[in-house]
Amino acid sequence: GLPLSFGRTTTKDNFNIEEEEEANEVAEEYLRGSSEDIFYLPNDTMPFLCDLPVSNDYTAGATSLYWAPRPFNQRSGKTRRAQDVPLIKTWYQERCQPNLPVKIRVSYQKLLKAYVLNELKHKHPKGLIKKRNLFSTLKSTKFFQTTTMDWVEAGLQLVKQAHNTLNLLIHRKNVDFLHLDYNFTLR
């Protein structure tokens, strides 16, 4: 027999003897170059599924579907109905040729008009219009300002504001005889 890489895989009566001798010579050269054991197949070996045809009536359609543009080649994910895929959208967005019949030019015009109206009615998502950071928006107002200070100074300011707020509350309720000192004790 012949090595797997050089031998024939089908038995045919019309196999040329010269081709077989040439394959044997190549196999002999290959054997002289390596000392490894080579696996040989018997001469009457047939390949798997050799009786089945390579292609059928559906092969061309399947191949064109495999190489089709999006979304036709998708098997999963977000898909659209065939009638929702704009096949001629680019056609009517271009200028119509003046030598075409009137009814074709009118249909171009109607398609373009419907497209423009749909685009005008279409609202863009709110997040994509102009995304602004909340903190930068607040920072630009006069009520929220930034400065650098340490924690002790911030604590002192907070205590002072709390003292002023409580004093305003005492005077608002007309209990002016109460006195609030800086240790937050009423007298």
Side-chain angles (χ1 to χ4, degrees), residues 125-160:
K126 288 187 177 181
L128 298 176
I129 294 173
K130 194 171 186 183
K131 221 173 192 182
R132 296 190 65 188
N133 191 0
L134 176 65
F135 292 118
S136 62
T137 307
L138 292 176
K139 185 179 175 182
S140 63
T141 65
K142 67 178 184 178
F143 302 106
F144 297 92
Q145 297 174 359
T146 58
T147 183
T148 56
M149 63 173 62
D150 58 348
W151 286 104
V152 176
E153 188 178 355
L156 286 173
Q157 281 192 5
L158 185 68
V159 169
K160 186 176 179 183

Side-chain angles (χ1 to χ4, degrees), residues 22 38-40 53 68 75 82 85 87 94 118-119 130 133 141 154 158 169 180 187:
E22 185 180 328
I38 297 179
F39 176 72
Y40 291 97
R75 291 176 161 219
V85 177
L87 296 177
E94 296 171 0
N118 284 336
E119 285 297 314
K130 194 171 186 183
N133 191 0
T141 65
L158 185 68
L169 188 65
L180 182 70
R187 295 185 187 174

Side-chain angles (χ1 to χ4, degrees), residues 5-170:
S5 60
F6 296 109
R8 57 194 162 111
T9 56
T10 60
T11 57
K12 293 184 181 177
D13 297 334
N14 59 357
F15 189 77
N16 195 348
I17 295 175
E18 294 173 0
E19 292 177 5
E20 188 173 2
E21 289 175 359
E22 185 180 328
N24 283 335
E25 289 175 15
V26 173
E28 294 288 331
E29 290 177 19
Y30 180 78
L31 288 175
R32 280 187 234 123
S34 68
S35 62
E36 299 176 2
D37 292 333
I38 297 179
F39 176 72
Y40 291 97
L41 285 175
N43 285 338
D44 59 345
T45 303
M46 301 288 285
F48 295 116
L49 305 173
C50 68
D51 299 332
L52 297 176
V54 177
S55 64
N56 59 16
D57 297 339
Y58 303 112
T59 305
T63 306
S64 64
L65 188 62
Y66 181 75
W67 292 105
R70 261 190 104 259
F72 300 109
N73 64 347
Q74 291 182 331
R75 291 176 161 219
S76 62
K78 184 180 177 186
T79 57
R80 292 158 57 177
R81 299 179 305 171
Q83 59 265 32
D84 292 338
V85 177
L87 296 177
I88 60 168
K89 182 177 181 180
T90 56
W91 295 354
Y92 65 79
Q93 286 179 350
E94 296 171 0
R95 185 175 292 276
C96 181
Q97 297 174 2
N99 60 354
L100 291 174
V102 175
K103 64 179 184 178
I104 294 178
R105 289 184 295 183
V106 168
S107 63
Y108 263 77
Q109 192 175 13
K110 286 182 180 178
L111 286 170
L112 189 60
K113 180 181 178 182
Y115 169 74
V116 170
L117 287 174
N118 284 336
E119 285 297 314
L120 289 174
K121 289 179 189 174
H122 178 69
K123 292 183 180 178
H124 295 286
K126 288 187 177 181
L128 298 176
I129 294 173
K130 194 171 186 183
K131 221 173 192 182
R132 296 190 65 188
N133 191 0
L134 176 65
F135 292 118
S136 62
T137 307
L138 292 176
K139 185 179 175 182
S140 63
T141 65
K142 67 178 184 178
F143 302 106
F144 297 92
Q145 297 174 359
T146 58
T147 183
T148 56
M149 63 173 62
D150 58 348
W151 286 104
V152 176
E153 188 178 355
L156 286 173
Q157 281 192 5
L158 185 68
V159 169
K160 186 176 179 183
Q161 285 178 1
H163 180 266
N164 289 340
T165 306
L166 284 174
N167 256 339
L168 286 172
L169 188 65
I170 287 171

